Amino acid sequence: MYNFLPFAYFQDKIVPFEEATISIATHALHYGTLAFGGMRGIPDPQDPTQILLFRLDRHCQRLSQSGKFIHYDISAEKIKTAIIEFVKKNQPTTSFYIRPFVFTSDLGIAPRLHNIDKSFAIYGLELGDYLSPEGVSCRISSWCRQEDISFPLRGKISAAYITSSLAKTEAVESGFDEAILMNSQGKVSEASGMNIFIVRNGKIITPGFEQDILEGITRDSVIKIAQDFGIPVVERPVDKSELLIADEVFLCGTAAKVVPVNRIENYYLPEHRPIAEKLREKLTAITENRDPDYRDWVYPISI
């Protein structure tokens, strides 16, 4: 199904991907005690001797912070150094995705985070468009996004993705491409693995952090780009009915980038979506290092 990059980072060294294996008794496998990140990289279109990573420092910072939730103290600098080593060893030749993660690597059955071994690893795979850039159809999920009162939603924790998996499969098996999850208060939260935005009357509106969303790095990027364009951005609760009458709805995430929504349930959205397309084009230019105003978001690695 996937073309994995030939080398992984495992047990503090670079090894062939096939050798980066764990026991079936690994603690994280049973309890979801794993925090992960995800970032995109591409060969530099202007310089074949370079690989470009998008917002490397911010991704490393978030994974370091997420690690605290499983009581694993790992610095953003260590994560960054390992990712650079990983990329140099693999020398990818096409668009790819990096998955760095920290996990409880002990072999045992007690659900705990204290007095237990933890590990850090990285693998990657070739990845083009995760969802169609032409747009997707969405179902309002019957599943509800978790609450921060019972789950550390400020971290990218693997256990949370059971809800995403249930919602995504429910959507696909009922004829849609993607799911939109509401929170426990009945407000719009996010998609199965992406943040969501709507456009109404020239303004971009998106659920705020208090709506139990993941603090998405692509989300943060989209907000900053929109503000630099002079487009008003409002972070507030969003009602289900607003989705159905919006001028535009789009999703964003590391894997998905910016993807417009064509249909929600049986409601078709306008085919003209100038703001989403403007943001997508700008984000593409930034990731390809073609925009000097955002050079600090792009980390070049010589290979």
Side-chain angles (χ1 to χ4, degrees):
M1 292 177 60
Y2 298 109
N3 292 322
F4 291 100
L5 299 185
F7 295 97
Y9 182 90
F10 185 66
Q11 296 180 340
D12 294 325
K13 61 182 182 291
I14 300 291
V15 300
F17 174 76
E18 294 78 9
E19 295 180 15
T21 59
I22 61 172
S23 167
I24 60 172
T26 300
H27 188 272
L29 179 63
H30 298 270
Y31 298 114
T33 43
L34 180 153
F36 67 94
M39 70 191 74
R40 274 192 178 267
I42 59 169
D44 188 339
Q46 287 81 44
D47 183 352
T49 68
Q50 286 195 145
I51 295 294
L52 306 176
L53 299 184
F54 182 65
R55 302 199 70 176
L56 173 62
D57 289 330
R58 182 67 188 90
H59 280 285
C60 294
Q61 179 191 44
R62 185 174 68 180
L63 181 56
S64 175
Q65 292 173 343
S66 294
K68 296 181 188 302
F69 290 117
I70 66 164
H71 292 214
Y72 186 35
D73 186 14
I74 182 170
S75 71
E77 192 58 38
K78 177 176 180 177
I79 296 167
K80 179 178 178 179
T81 299
I83 288 173
I84 293 170
E85 181 185 2
F86 166 85
V87 171
K88 286 185 173 183
K89 182 66 175 178
N90 279 289
Q91 299 193 355
T93 58
T94 188
S95 176
F96 64 101
Y97 180 86
I98 301 172
R99 171 56 57 85
F101 60 100
V102 294
F103 63 107
T104 51
S105 52
D106 226 52
L107 308 184
I109 60 171
R112 69 181 190 275
L113 296 169
H114 62 283
N115 299 331
I116 192 168
D117 291 339
K118 284 103 178 178
S119 296
F120 166 52
I122 310 168
Y123 70 92
L125 61 153
E126 296 177 3
L127 185 66
D129 289 324
Y130 178 70
L131 293 172
S132 171
E134 301 304 313
V136 295
S137 61
C138 293
R139 169 180 172 160
I140 304 296
S141 181
S142 66
W143 296 95
C144 179
R145 174 69 168 159
Q146 299 97 327
E147 292 183 281
D148 194 77
I149 194 172
S150 62
F151 198 96
L153 296 179
R154 292 296 177 269
K156 199 170 173 71
I157 310 298
S158 65
Y161 285 78
I162 180 60
T163 304
S164 298
S165 300
L166 289 165
K168 177 77 172 185
T169 294
E170 177 186 63
V172 172
E173 289 186 344
S174 55
F176 297 85
D177 301 310
E178 186 52 68
I180 296 173
L181 292 124
M182 314 298 281
N183 64 22
S184 60
Q185 305 304 307
K187 302 295 185 181
V188 175
S189 184
E190 59 183 31
S192 69
M194 293 155 282
N195 294 111
I196 187 168
F197 292 78
I198 69 172
V199 178
R200 295 192 69 193
N201 303 318
K203 293 182 181 179
I204 293 176
I205 303 164
T206 190
F209 294 149
E210 79 285 353
Q211 301 304 307
D212 296 322
I213 67 169
L214 177 71
E215 295 183 352
I217 294 172
T218 306
R219 174 188 183 273
D220 176 75
S221 304
V222 165
I223 290 172
K224 177 66 166 62
I225 293 167
Q227 291 171 336
D228 288 348
F229 273 136
I231 303 170
V233 180
V234 181
E235 298 180 68
R236 64 159 174 80
V238 174
D239 289 319
K240 173 183 173 180
S241 60
E242 288 186 273
L243 295 175
L244 309 179
I245 60 172
D247 301 320
E248 301 179 46
V249 178
F250 62 91
L251 310 176
C252 79
T254 296
K257 296 180 277 193
V258 174
V259 176
V261 176
N262 298 329
R263 176 169 64 101
I264 298 174
E265 300 286 348
N266 60 331
Y267 291 80
Y268 286 84
L269 296 166
E271 294 182 7
H272 184 55
R273 41 214 180 204
I275 290 180
E277 298 197 355
K278 186 175 185 179
L279 292 170
R280 181 181 176 87
E281 289 172 5
K282 185 71 165 180
L283 190 62
T284 298
I286 293 169
T287 58
E288 293 179 355
N289 210 19
R290 293 188 282 109
D291 194 313
D293 294 334
Y294 296 87
R295 284 268 161 79
D296 59 332
W297 282 4
V298 181
Y299 192 94
I301 298 174
S302 298
I303 56 172

